[in-house]
Amino acid sequence: MGSDTTVRTTRHDAILEIAIDRPEQRNAIDKATAEALGAAIIELEQDDALVVGVLTGTGGGFCAGMDLGAFARGELPLTERGFAGMTIGRPGKPVIAAIEGFALAGGLELALACDLIVAARDARLGIPEVKRGLVAAGGALRRLPERLPLGVATELALTGDPLDVDRAQQLGLVNHVSAPGAALADALALAARIAANGPLAVAASHEILRAGVDWTEEQFWAEQGRIAGPVLLSRDAREGAVAFKEKRAPVWERR
């Protein structure tokens, strides 16, 4: 287990659990926490033994966004990768947000920087910045319209009112709805399903999904060939086929 004063990391084989640990501040992000989160994301990206991350919060809540007390003192919770060290420079490996209690303001923007969301049924999701005279500038105004109908995203942004988790799942924002208290366990189970697959194939699929939204049709096929081609020729691809024929679990070599 790794730790910082505000962020804890725990390894579960190929999964890195990253926990924001400021429960007394509702896991709000100050400068030190932004830097610690950014360091945890870099650890996930740079360690070849890690395939997927799970981002969560301690104390029954995910994250309440920017620490307004620190902001009032002139502190900005930013790194070169944006708010909390991950909203502009999004993680280069898949990350699942495990939400209990609340993901509000920058907290929801952290979840939107992740690839998948598991949320407890009673969690509150929203971007209430306009109620404080602020703008949700950590990525929500781009990523909510990517994941929700524009009218729904607009209502969330302009009213600042929360979105019900069951409706969020129906609209595709939330992947899995958990019983209260079970979001982290369910997210880790989902992460284990991802980590069991070929790591080269997971990484290539993630890269194509993330970048492909901005490609033309012609670019898509060219870039997909560039990224996926080496995977097709890898030892892991052959191992996957042989293991299937032999009716056994594959043993990945990451090459």
Side-chain angles (χ1 to χ4, degrees):
M1 177 183 291
S3 67
D4 184 91
T5 54
T6 57
V7 173
R8 293 188 292 104
T9 59
T10 307
R11 292 182 177 230
H12 308 271
D13 297 321
I15 303 164
L16 184 66
E17 176 190 333
I18 304 167
I20 306 168
D21 191 21
R22 300 187 77 211
E24 72 288 351
Q25 300 294 334
R26 303 180 78 225
N27 295 324
I29 307 297
D30 61 2
K31 178 67 171 176
T33 307
E35 291 173 349
L37 270 175
I41 295 301
I42 291 171
E43 178 185 352
L44 171 66
E45 292 174 333
Q46 293 185 347
D47 190 329
D48 289 342
L50 295 170
V51 174
V52 57
V54 172
L55 178 63
T56 192
T58 63
F62 182 71
C63 176
M66 179 171 65
D67 184 327
L68 293 179
F71 173 72
R73 296 191 298 271
E75 187 176 300
L76 291 176
L78 306 174
T79 75
E80 66 279 1
R81 296 180 66 160
F83 173 71
M86 61 178 288
T87 57
I88 295 176
R90 296 175 68 188
K93 290 182 181 177
V95 178
I96 303 166
I99 299 174
E100 292 284 352
F102 49 83
L104 298 170
L108 183 58
E109 291 177 309
L110 279 181
L112 290 168
C114 299
D115 299 279
L116 303 171
I117 297 176
V118 176
R121 178 163 278 108
D122 61 351
R124 291 184 297 131
L125 312 178
I127 45 171
E129 279 88 342
V130 291
K131 294 180 182 291
R132 311 285 187 270
L134 299 169
V135 175
L141 302 185
R142 175 177 175 85
R143 295 187 181 121
L144 279 177
E146 291 175 346
R147 299 198 187 192
L148 293 172
L150 180 58
V152 176
T154 301
E155 182 177 345
L156 288 174
L158 300 187
T159 66
D161 294 338
L163 179 66
D164 176 79
V165 169
D166 284 324
R167 188 172 182 225
Q169 183 189 37
Q170 292 168 2
L171 293 170
L173 178 63
V174 169
N175 295 87
H176 298 280
V177 176
S178 300
L184 177 58
D186 289 349
L188 288 170
L190 177 58
R193 288 164 51 199
I194 294 171
N197 297 321
L200 300 180
V202 169
S205 298
H206 180 256
E207 183 178 354
I208 293 165
L209 284 165
R210 181 68 66 77
V213 294
D214 295 320
W215 294 337
T216 65
E217 180 81 4
E218 182 179 1
Q219 286 176 314
F220 176 85
W221 293 108
E223 291 299 307
Q224 178 176 261
R226 178 183 64 81
I227 296 166
V231 179
L232 181 65
L233 300 176
S234 69
R235 292 172 64 93
D236 276 359
R238 184 175 184 279
E239 166 65 8
V242 171
F244 176 78
K245 293 294 288 184
E246 295 179 353
K247 298 182 179 179
R248 61 172 174 81
V251 179
W252 308 118
E253 299 182 34
R254 292 180 170 83
R255 58 194 180 108

